Amino acid sequence: MIATESHSNTTRSESPSAKHVVVVGGGLAGLSSACVLAARGHQVTLCDKNDWVGGKAAVLSTEGYRFDMGPTILTLPSVLRRVFAEADRDMDDYLTLLPLDPQWRCFFEGNPESGMPDNTVLDLVADMDAMKQHLREFTGGEAASAGYEKFIEVSKQLHGVSDRFFFWRSIGGLADTMEVGGAFSAAVLKDVMSLRMGRSVASVVRSHVPEPRVSQMMDHFTQYVGSSPYASPAVLCGIAHMQTEEGIWYPLGGTRAVPEALSRLAGELGVDIRTGTDILRIETSGGAVSGVTTAGGETIACDAVVSNCDAVRTYRELLEGTDASANFEKKNHHEAACSGVVLYLGLNRRYEQLLHHNFIFSQDPEEEFDYIYKKGQPAPDPTAYVCAPTISEPEVAPAGGEALYILVHTPYLRSGHDWKAMLPDYRNVILDKLERTAGMDGIRDAIVTEDSLTPEGIHNRYRVLNGAIYGLASHGKFTGAFKPGNRRKDVRGLYLAGGAAHPGPGMPMVLMSGWIAADVLDQDARGGKLATAGSTA
């Protein structure tokens, strides 16, 4: 478990170091930052171009069906608890979380060429002994069971290293992790060596469990970061232990309940939340933040900015024309993570074989990832994530129905991608996959209401880079886990938060990112490192 700390809930007038901070973007990271900063006594103005806060954690309601539009899997609830603890609040007074176990159900398509002609199903459960028994029954032997247990031990060790050197602090590269622990400490060097640098997630997984179906399931612990396991660094294997240790949870009311709870907390702490307020520019003076300018022409003076906008787009668009923007672009080797197609299907029936969370796997993961990340084309045989929430909350659909959320990863937007033209055919590919592999026969006839979101819609709706759901890709076997640091050294008073900043994408990580941005900003304010912009009107 991650330790929880709290700070006294002081007000701006009580603290001489209190600053006026503008948070650009009210996604989960922006809300997290706003709450932590306000709890520590700063004056906070949060602006979002949309008419709601929560970013991708939005909701779609239609004809009696309710869909979470963005993230649907909540792990590491201790991170969220820590945000509430900053204000001496108990998260349980704001949210009801239901544990989900089994955590996932996995559907694999039969393939006569591989010697497995029939479709098969495997449940992921948190208890190690029960999971080992599942694997014995699934594979008919001991190898996968023993290998999985050893893999989780490796994952636990990598999780521990991440806790010591990677989480809860602003990290922009390997040198920063050395600085945290002392580069010449034998213990630090031992930890660094244990990161299996130069190896990929897929190689570590398969060195423990070569059985193709089980290894494919294990690869998907890292799908929270939207990157290929064949190109992502082995340190991300630590995600498996994080999930199995703290579990998967469903917030009653859907994932949307999380930003609603944070928004309520922010309001109680005095945060000025301005929806429908698009920030077009971060203003600077003398190399330091001085304010922001809205699309309506208003300039809001401030002492610091936390940008919950995509890191690359923050520099490219909000700081356009500055030296910092030009220098960032010179050094910018960041690649957008994958995007996706989401189908929101209101059905007049349920499929009893589904759990709350389901993965319906491709037959050839290497081919699938090659299409998405190298060829830049939708995979002809994709893996589909399917969320069927009525098992946990029947009220999301009319009686006997289902509010089905289907996500298939696709390449980030390339020139020549016209998803208005591409979607109808790819919709059929996805629905055929569900019927063929998960036995969801007659799904087209069961559809009462249907909506969708494509990479183009994601790009425009959430101001992310090239429609990337998960910010920046975690590719690179040595340094792929590193994202732009939260505390910016090139623009005094600028801090980054979100999936395209450290520590990366996924609900707990962006919440942690927001906490880190707020924490280092608060440190700088208390240390006298932030100039006062003057008027805070």
Side-chain angles (χ1 to χ4, degrees):
M1 296 288 288
I2 297 171
T4 299
E5 298 176 1
S6 63
H7 294 260
S8 60
N9 187 10
T10 59
T11 65
R12 180 176 169 83
S13 60
E14 293 170 343
S15 173
S17 62
K19 300 295 182 183
H20 179 207
V21 182
V22 172
V23 177
V24 180
L28 292 174
L31 286 168
S32 172
S33 269
C35 289
V36 173
L37 287 166
R40 296 195 187 183
H42 299 280
Q43 178 189 347
V44 182
T45 302
L46 184 150
C47 301
D48 197 292
K49 75 182 184 70
N50 294 312
D51 294 328
W52 69 91
V53 292
K56 300 183 192 74
V59 66
L60 172 66
S61 298
T62 179
E63 297 184 36
Y65 297 87
R66 190 190 74 218
F67 304 89
D68 281 321
M69 294 195 70
T72 59
I73 299 178
L74 175 61
T75 61
L76 295 180
S78 59
V79 177
L80 190 55
R81 288 189 182 279
R82 185 164 178 169
V83 174
F84 281 90
E86 286 280 348
D88 297 322
R89 304 294 208 280
D90 186 342
M91 183 191 75
D92 294 331
D93 293 333
Y94 294 75
L95 279 170
T96 300
L97 300 184
L98 306 178
L100 300 181
D101 198 23
Q103 298 182 342
W104 301 334
R105 175 158 286 173
C106 304
F107 294 86
F108 301 93
E109 190 168 343
N111 185 352
E113 294 180 4
S114 67
M116 289 176 283
D118 298 324
N119 290 352
T120 49
V121 177
L122 174 65
D123 287 349
L124 174 69
V125 296
D127 180 76
M128 178 57 70
D129 290 338
M131 189 64 205
K132 288 171 66 179
Q133 183 60 31
H134 279 339
L135 290 170
R136 291 188 195 100
E137 295 169 356
F138 186 71
T139 63
E142 289 287 338
S145 172
Y148 180 81
E149 184 173 32
K150 291 177 181 176
F151 171 78
I152 293 296
E153 282 300 312
V154 170
S155 177
K156 180 179 179 180
Q157 181 258 327
L158 292 172
H159 180 190
V161 174
S162 295
D163 267 346
R164 290 192 292 279
F165 299 105
F166 196 68
F167 292 156
W168 303 110
R169 54 183 60 86
S170 178
I171 298 291
L174 186 59
D176 291 334
T177 65
M178 293 290 199
E179 187 177 306
V180 168
F184 300 105
S185 160
V188 172
L189 291 176
K190 180 180 178 182
D191 277 334
V192 171
M193 293 298 292
S194 75
L195 294 177
R196 291 164 170 76
M197 298 185 75
R199 296 190 64 186
S200 69
V201 166
S203 71
V204 172
V205 166
R206 282 152 186 77
S207 70
H208 289 86
V209 181
E211 207 282 342
R213 296 167 299 172
V214 181
S215 62
Q216 192 175 15
M217 177 199 74
M218 293 162 66
D219 283 342
H220 273 64
F221 281 117
T222 64
Q223 283 306 284
Y224 301 114
V225 301
S227 302
S228 168
Y230 295 91
S232 299
V235 67
L236 295 181
C237 291
I239 295 172
H241 180 258
M242 297 176 205
Q243 176 175 315
T244 55
E245 181 187 44
E246 286 202 40
I248 284 182
W249 300 80
Y250 175 70
L252 200 62
T255 306
R256 178 66 194 161
V258 175
E260 288 176 350
L262 288 169
S263 179
R264 175 184 157 195
L265 176 63
E268 292 172 358
L269 295 173
V271 175
D272 178 14
I273 298 177
R274 303 186 189 184
T275 55
T277 304
D278 194 3
I279 302 300
L280 295 188
R281 184 166 185 80
I282 297 172
E283 303 295 345
T284 60
S285 177
V289 165
S290 61
V292 299
T293 298
T294 72
E298 179 188 6
T299 296
I300 305 171
C302 62
D303 307 310
V305 166
V306 175
S307 179
N308 186 199
C309 179
D310 176 87
V312 174
R313 293 186 72 173
T314 294
Y315 276 87
R316 188 173 290 168
E317 299 172 18
L318 301 185
L319 290 167
E320 184 181 7
T322 65
D323 290 341
S325 177
N327 291 332
F328 186 89
E329 287 291 358
K330 286 179 185 176
K331 301 174 183 177
N332 180 20
H333 301 296
H334 299 293
E335 176 191 6
C338 70
S339 189
V341 165
V342 189
L343 302 179
Y344 308 98
L345 305 183
L347 306 183
N348 62 13
R349 59 163 294 184
R350 297 181 186 177
Y351 288 92
E352 300 302 328
Q353 68 269 40
L354 298 180
L355 294 182
H356 192 120
H357 298 302
N358 308 269
F359 284 101
I360 299 168
F361 284 111
S362 64
Q363 288 188 296
D364 186 339
E366 285 194 71
E367 178 190 68
E368 178 188 10
F369 291 123
D370 189 61
Y371 267 90
I372 296 171
Y373 296 104
K374 293 182 179 179
K375 295 181 179 178
Q377 301 173 27
D381 178 35
T383 292
Y385 161 71
V386 176
C387 182
T390 56
I391 193 173
S392 303
E393 188 176 5
E395 293 79 11
V396 300
E402 181 63 84
L404 211 63
Y405 169 109
I406 305 162
L407 167 65
V408 168
H409 285 165
T410 67
Y412 62 81
L413 277 177
R414 265 59 165 203
S415 60
H417 282 186
D418 178 0
W419 275 100
K420 292 182 181 64
M422 295 161 64
L423 180 61
D425 286 344
Y426 207 54
R427 171 188 180 273
N428 285 327
V429 169
I430 294 168
L431 297 182
D432 287 347
K433 179 71 179 178
L434 303 190
E435 289 189 321
R436 190 172 67 245
T437 309
M440 297 173 67
D441 299 331
I443 187 170
R444 289 172 176 82
D445 293 335
I447 296 172
V448 175
T449 178
E450 178 172 356
D451 289 276
S452 61
L453 192 60
T454 68
E456 288 176 349
I458 294 166
H459 178 81
N460 295 326
R461 183 181 175 94
Y462 302 118
R463 193 169 277 166
V464 295
L465 183 63
N466 298 328
I469 302 174
Y470 306 92
L472 302 176
S474 298
H475 291 163
K477 297 173 186 176
F478 286 91
T479 59
F482 295 109
K483 302 292 185 290
N486 312 92
R487 175 196 276 128
R488 307 311 296 164
K489 299 175 182 179
D490 49 357
V491 181
R492 187 155 47 106
L494 175 63
Y495 303 83
L496 301 180
H502 173 76
M507 283 185 71
M509 295 300 104
V510 299
L511 289 164
M512 187 189 297
S513 178
W515 185 96
I516 296 169
D519 182 62
V520 292
L521 191 162
D522 182 58
Q523 289 176 29
D524 291 347
R526 294 175 189 277
K529 296 179 181 179
L530 292 178
T532 299
S535 169
T536 58

